[in-house]
Structure formats: C-alpha cells, structure tokens
Amino acid sequence: MRALRILLITAVILGGLFAIADRLAVGYAEGEVAAKIRSSQGLSADPEVSINGFPFLTQVVSSELDDVSVSMGGVKASAGGHSIEVTEVSAELSGVRLNGLSSAVADRATGSARISYADLAKSAPGGASVSYAGAERAAKGQVKVTGPAVQLVEGAGFDLPGLAEGLLKGRTITTYSTVSIAGGDTVRIRAADLPRLPVPGLDGTLRDAVDYDLKIDGLPKTVKLDKAVADENGLRFSGVGTRVRLAG
C-alpha cells in the first residue's frame, strides 16, 4: 500500500509538472507566432494568439496545431485616397502545420471584422455620412447615406451652374445603399434607390457621388471575403481561406 501511495503521489507530481511545462511552452509559442504574423502581415502591433487544445506539446511533436485563435489590429480599408481602421479582426485557424516556429500554414481559416459607421463616414464621398438604416433595411444589407446635395454633386466632378446650384442649395440627399462583397477583398456600397433632383440630368452624377468601394488591405492573399452584414454598430464582414500562410 505504501508503494502504491508513493507511485500515485509521484504520478500526480509528474502530471502537474508536465501541465506546467505544457502551459509555459504554449505561452512561448503564442508569443513567437504572434511576432511572425505581425512581421508577415505588416501589422503595427503583435496580434493576440491563443493556441487551443491540451496538451500542446503533443501537438508540437506532430507538427500540427488543431485550433488557433487570432485577434489583431492594424488592418486598414481604403477608399478614394482615405484610409480607415478595421476593428474587431479575428480568425479561427484549423489544421495549422508547423515548420518549427519559422513558418506556419493553416489548412483553413474563418475570420470576421468590423468597420464602424463613424469610420465609414470618413471614407464617404462628398461629405456624406453613413449610418444605421433600421432593422428592416439592415436585414436587406442596406445602410443609410446622407449628405448635402451641392457638395455631393460637385464632389463627383460636376460643375453646377448658378441656377442649378440655387435649386440644390440647402437640400439634403438621403438614400439607402446595399452592401456587398466584390473580388474577395472589397466591400461595395451601391445606392438601391435615388431621390429625384429638381435639376435634370444629374441622376448619373448623383449615383457617381454616393456609390463607392472599400478595399480591405492587409488580408492574407488566400483569405476571401464572402459576406457583409449591417447592424447597429456598423458593417461586419467575414471570409474564409485555405492554405493560409501565417509566417515564413
């Protein structure tokens, strides 16, 4: 009985030491992977990396991590020469194959991110603002775009004559635009309907003013956006990728 007791105590101690070593190793690896992702993606700060699953050391021996979570900042979107921040960027990676800690490739990645309405307004043309369109229109993937008529039309490159400017002065344009994904890396905003202006021939110019694209910069080449959703806090978009290179 004494020998059995000693064996059990020894097993518990060794198990505890293994667990401690495993957690120390995973903490070190998370820091190394974060630094590699920052370097390879050109981020301004290290992302937060969580290597899930226990034990970690057995995953290292097999050179494959089952599940890795990444949360990062420093991703940007650009439109018309303006750069805006993309927030809440996160990804779930599965089947991450390691070559030591020098390189890592994920068999599959799913990710999401958000652009706030305040940041959307910074990229909107002609001084327009972008806001929540209400639950019914948001369910259709639409946002509300509002702006001064004169500024919008002139911002689209149309030189208003004095009479036309007088007719539009003080008028505010409101339209509802549908959000979609194009090319796997671009959020496209297109007016679903346009108000009629009291000046003939400006419909095309107004559409040129309120329609625009947001190019998402900093995504791995193999990650493709496939969905955009409007809600009370802005635009949330998501995508998937295969054979996503994280480092190396």
Side-chain angles (χ1 to χ4, degrees):
M1 289 296 293
R2 183 181 180 186
L4 179 59
R5 189 181 304 116
I6 293 173
L7 180 62
L8 289 174
I9 292 172
T10 301
V12 169
I13 292 173
L14 290 176
L17 291 174
F18 176 80
I20 293 172
D22 190 82
R23 293 302 89 189
L24 289 174
V26 77
Y28 173 78
E30 286 170 347
E32 290 295 302
V33 172
K36 294 292 185 182
I37 293 175
R38 176 182 180 178
S39 176
S40 65
Q41 301 303 320
L43 303 177
S44 59
D46 284 354
E48 295 182 10
V49 175
S50 296
I51 300 174
N52 306 313
F54 180 84
F56 165 70
L57 291 174
T58 58
Q59 297 183 67
V60 171
V61 171
S62 66
S63 297
E64 182 172 340
L65 306 178
D66 298 330
D67 180 25
V68 178
S69 301
V70 180
S71 177
M72 68 184 77
V75 177
K76 300 291 184 180
S78 57
H82 300 286
S83 180
I84 61 175
E85 184 177 5
V86 181
T87 62
E88 300 178 30
V89 182
S90 62
E92 292 294 326
L93 314 171
S94 59
V96 180
R97 303 179 187 278
L98 304 174
N99 180 13
L101 289 176
S102 62
S103 67
V105 178
D107 286 343
R108 179 177 171 82
T110 60
S112 64
R114 179 182 296 282
I115 301 177
S116 70
Y117 288 119
D119 281 323
L120 280 172
K122 294 176 184 177
S123 66
S129 64
V130 183
S131 60
Y132 182 53
E136 183 176 349
R137 288 188 177 272
K140 301 177 183 178
Q142 293 182 344
V143 296
K144 184 179 180 180
V145 180
T146 305
V150 171
Q151 193 171 345
L152 283 171
V153 171
E154 291 183 340
F158 190 90
D159 188 13
L160 283 170
L163 178 59
E165 184 175 354
L167 290 172
L168 294 180
K169 189 174 182 180
R171 180 182 289 266
T172 298
I173 298 297
T174 298
T175 186
Y176 296 94
S177 295
T178 301
V179 180
S180 61
I181 299 297
D185 63 355
T186 300
V187 178
R188 180 162 287 174
I189 301 174
R190 295 291 183 268
D193 48 52
L194 290 169
R196 296 189 65 85
L197 297 178
V199 181
L202 290 183
D203 292 347
T205 301
L206 182 59
R207 180 168 292 281
D208 290 342
V210 297
D211 289 352
Y212 69 108
D213 294 340
L214 282 167
K215 177 94 164 30
I216 309 300
D217 303 313
L219 294 176
K221 293 180 180 179
T222 51
V223 172
K224 302 299 181 184
L225 301 179
D226 59 8
K227 185 178 181 181
V229 176
D231 61 24
E232 296 93 332
N233 300 311
L235 294 183
R236 176 168 289 280
F237 49 92
S238 57
V240 297
T242 57
R243 300 291 299 166
V244 178
R245 183 169 296 279
L246 306 176

